[in-house]
Amino acid sequence: MEALAAIKAEAARRRAQLEKDNLVGGKRTYFKRSQLQAVHQEQHDNETTTKQRRRSSGEGIAVKPTHDDTDDLPDISVPEVHRRLRSLGEPIQLFAETLLAKRQRLQELELKQGEHSHGRQRNELHEALANVDEMIINELLKQGEGEAPKARNTKYSWRDMQILGRKLKKADNGPAQILIRRFLRFLLDSWGNDLDMRPPELKQTSEGRLASATFKQTDTYMKPLFTKLKRKETSEAVIEALREVVDTMLRREYIATNDAYLRLAIGNAAWPIGVTSVGIHSRTGRERIFSQKIAHVLNDETQRKYIQGIKRLMTFSQKRFPNVPSKCLEFRGVQQALYPVSNEGDEVVIRQLEEAERFDDEDEV
């Protein structure tokens, strides 16, 4: 009974409000929605005019006691409020909701939606750029204190990597994983060392910041692969593909390296996802559809990321350890900002690399 009495009281209050607005009463027993919206719009305009008059005259400048004051809310019309609520997938009217409460609800919903979309748009590269900005600020502070930038501790040279390559050809899958990890880490450290040795004014440019962020992102992408190689948990198919990629990079045969990378990334089977059981009968060419030829980039997101990181290291290797144009991929097309290597000249560097790659028969491996 109490609920029924409350409903009747609310209905009587609303009818009295409609009679006050001259929407019903006398012989008029109904009204159009457009008439109600026009009344609400007129009330809103009157409220806005009154607030502006008070502000211009200096009245009502006291501290707002509660959040219910309409000064915190945007001055938008009722149809616009309804349109925005519908675009957010929300009801345009709740039970016993006033116009002020409706605007407050719209404001809160739009704030939540803006925070959610902002967080979604911040991808990994944006986070890396934010970390780079913080790193640049710390370097500037250290230079102000008189500290010079320190180079990364690269334990190995290109000569050591050539010895590693000769060991890799004879190694089993277990030791091969350690050697592959060592070579990829050598490339990553060399790339980071070249970026650290840039002048401060180059680091602060947009291209310099992007190069640092790309390196940080690549470092993050490669960590899962380094962990698997260290624990010797990498699958046999991936080991064989990485062995071929590393071997061709050590020989500076970058066109062959790209072919090996494509076999690692997308495979060379007719079904890239891998089809190991196509029926109960053996068919011609079935040996070409085994799991070692599948597209490993399609396995999971982590594998896709470190395969992308390997591609970036391949590009750096071609820039840092060049070869003649006939053995390079997109020669002279590597971005200088991402891989800022300052060498004496490709011909001089190639001669130096050839000297490091020359072995005598009596050299121990």
Side-chain angles (χ1 to χ4, degrees), residues 2-266:
E2 294 180 0
L4 182 59
I7 292 175
K8 289 182 178 180
E10 177 65 22
R13 186 189 66 80
R14 292 196 176 191
R15 182 173 182 82
Q17 182 66 32
L18 293 174
E19 291 176 354
K20 182 180 178 181
D21 295 336
N22 296 325
L23 292 175
V24 295
K27 296 182 179 180
R28 289 181 295 178
T29 58
Y30 66 93
F31 59 91
K32 294 181 180 180
R33 185 181 295 272
S34 59
Q35 296 174 348
L36 180 62
Q37 292 179 352
V39 172
H40 288 171
Q41 182 65 36
E42 184 180 358
Q43 293 175 355
H44 169 66
D45 295 340
N46 293 336
E47 292 175 1
T48 304
T49 305
T50 304
K51 287 192 302 181
Q52 292 177 353
R53 190 184 304 113
R54 288 179 178 177
R55 289 175 181 175
S56 60
S57 61
E59 299 178 3
I61 312 183
V63 179
K64 302 169 189 176
T66 61
H67 183 68
D68 293 335
D69 197 343
T70 57
D71 289 344
D72 288 340
L73 301 176
D75 294 333
I76 54 179
S77 61
V78 176
E80 180 66 17
V81 173
H82 293 173
R83 187 190 66 80
R84 294 189 184 181
L85 287 173
R86 286 194 179 100
S87 65
L88 295 174
E90 297 291 333
I92 64 173
Q93 181 72 39
L94 299 180
F95 182 75
E97 186 180 35
T98 62
L99 181 60
L100 177 60
K102 189 185 299 185
R103 290 190 181 126
Q104 289 178 349
R105 181 164 61 93
L106 173 63
Q107 187 180 39
E108 292 174 359
L109 290 171
E110 288 181 341
L111 288 175
K112 292 180 181 179
Q113 184 73 13
E115 292 175 359
H116 180 67
S117 61
H118 179 69
R120 184 172 59 249
Q121 291 173 357
R122 286 185 59 84
N123 55 19
E124 297 172 352
L125 187 58
H126 291 164
E127 294 178 359
L129 282 171
N131 296 333
V132 166
D133 293 339
E134 184 178 357
M135 181 183 65
I136 291 176
I137 293 175
N138 293 334
E139 289 183 358
L140 292 176
L141 293 176
K142 290 181 180 179
Q143 290 180 5
E145 297 175 357
E147 295 185 13
K150 297 181 181 180
R152 293 173 180 264
N153 184 16
T154 53
K155 300 179 181 179
Y156 304 101
S157 62
W158 186 249
R159 174 76 175 187
D160 298 329
M161 292 300 103
Q162 294 300 313
I163 299 176
L164 180 146
R166 300 181 70 177
K167 293 180 179 179
L168 182 62
K169 294 179 181 179
K170 304 176 182 179
D172 297 332
N173 287 342
Q177 296 184 57
I178 304 299
L179 298 175
I180 292 172
R181 178 181 179 273
R182 186 178 301 171
F183 176 72
L184 296 178
R185 173 57 68 182
F186 164 76
L187 291 179
L188 194 63
D189 291 341
S190 300
W191 184 13
N193 188 45
D194 291 340
L195 292 174
D196 292 341
M197 291 297 103
R198 294 174 299 171
E201 57 272 10
L202 181 59
K203 294 181 181 180
Q204 300 175 20
T205 61
S206 58
E207 292 83 1
R209 292 173 58 251
L210 180 60
S212 300
T214 304
F215 171 76
K216 292 293 184 182
Q217 186 184 47
T218 306
D219 190 13
T220 304
Y221 283 0
M222 296 298 293
K223 285 181 180 179
L225 177 61
F226 289 154
T227 302
K228 284 188 175 182
L229 292 173
K230 184 177 181 179
R231 297 177 180 176
K232 300 180 181 180
E233 298 176 353
T234 314
S235 63
E236 182 178 354
V238 176
I239 294 174
E240 293 301 324
L242 289 176
R243 187 197 294 262
E244 186 178 2
V245 169
V246 171
D247 179 64
T248 52
M249 272 199 288
L250 286 170
R251 291 188 283 111
R252 294 183 289 121
E253 300 277 353
Y254 295 112
I255 294 180
T257 303
N258 186 70
D259 295 339
Y261 168 77
L262 291 178
R263 285 190 289 272
L264 168 66
I266 63 176

Side-chain angles (χ1 to χ4, degrees), residues 277-306:
S277 180
V278 294
I280 60 175
H281 302 291
S282 297
R283 303 183 64 177
T284 305
R286 184 171 177 176
E287 66 276 1
R288 303 188 194 134
I289 319 173
F290 55 90
S291 58
Q292 291 184 357
K293 294 188 178 182
I294 67 173
H296 298 284
V297 75
L298 301 177
N299 288 352
D300 53 36
E301 187 68 11
T302 303
Q303 201 163 18
R304 180 196 66 79
K305 288 180 178 180
Y306 70 66

